[in-house]
Amino acid sequence: MLDETTVQIVTELDIVAARQLGRNEAKAIGFNKVDQARIATAISELAKNIFLYASVGKIIIKRIEKNENAEKGIAIIAIDKGPGIKDVGKVLEYSPAANSGAGLHAVKRLVDLIEIQSEIGMGTIVRIEKWLR
C-alpha cells in the first residue's frame, strides 16, 4: 500500500472494502491482531455512518509517523457531504439507547485520537489515529 489509499463509500460493499484495506494496512505497519480488529471496527463504523447518514463519502487510510521518535501509526479520515452533526459532543457520549454502544462513541474508545469537524448542511470530517505500541 502507498502512504495513503482512498475508498469511496457508495454501497455496503465499500464498507467491507474499507475495513479490509484498513486491517491489511494495520498488519503491514505491525499492529497486533487485537489492534488490527480495533482499527477495522473503527473504519467499519465510520464507513457505515457515511453510508447511512450521508449516502456517499470517502475513507482515507494513511500511514503516519511522529518524527521525534519514529513512532508509527495509522490515520483514518472519513469525509462526507451529508447533513452534518448538530451536537458533536453529544454523539461522543455513551447512550444505552444508541445501537448498543456502536457509532462514534465506540470509535472513540477504540482509537488514540478522534477529531470531528462538522457543519450543518455541509458535511462532516472525522479523523482518527491509532499508534503502534
Side-chain angles (χ1 to χ4, degrees), residues 48 53 90-91 93-106 109:
K48 185 174 70 173
Y53 302 114
K90 185 102 171 147
V91 300
E93 293 175 3
Y94 173 73
S95 168
N99 286 337
S100 304
L104 292 175
H105 169 73
R109 292 183 322 210

Side-chain angles (χ1 to χ4, degrees), residues 16-82:
V16 175
R19 178 185 174 94
Q20 190 60 47
L21 279 169
R23 181 185 288 273
N24 290 345
E25 184 62 9
K27 183 178 181 180
I29 291 169
F31 284 98
N32 64 35
K33 289 184 187 246
V34 172
D35 280 340
Q36 290 172 36
R38 287 181 177 127
I39 291 163
T41 300
I43 291 169
S44 185
E45 289 296 327
L46 294 174
K48 185 174 70 173
N49 283 350
I50 290 171
F51 181 74
L52 291 175
Y53 302 114
S55 298
V56 295
K58 62 185 174 182
I59 298 286
I60 301 168
I61 302 166
K62 61 193 288 185
R63 290 181 184 208
I64 54 176
E65 192 171 297
K66 290 182 184 175
N67 290 333
E68 64 271 9
N69 57 4
E71 187 177 359
K72 294 179 182 180
I74 190 167
I76 313 299
I77 301 125
I79 302 171
D80 70 59
K81 300 285 185 201

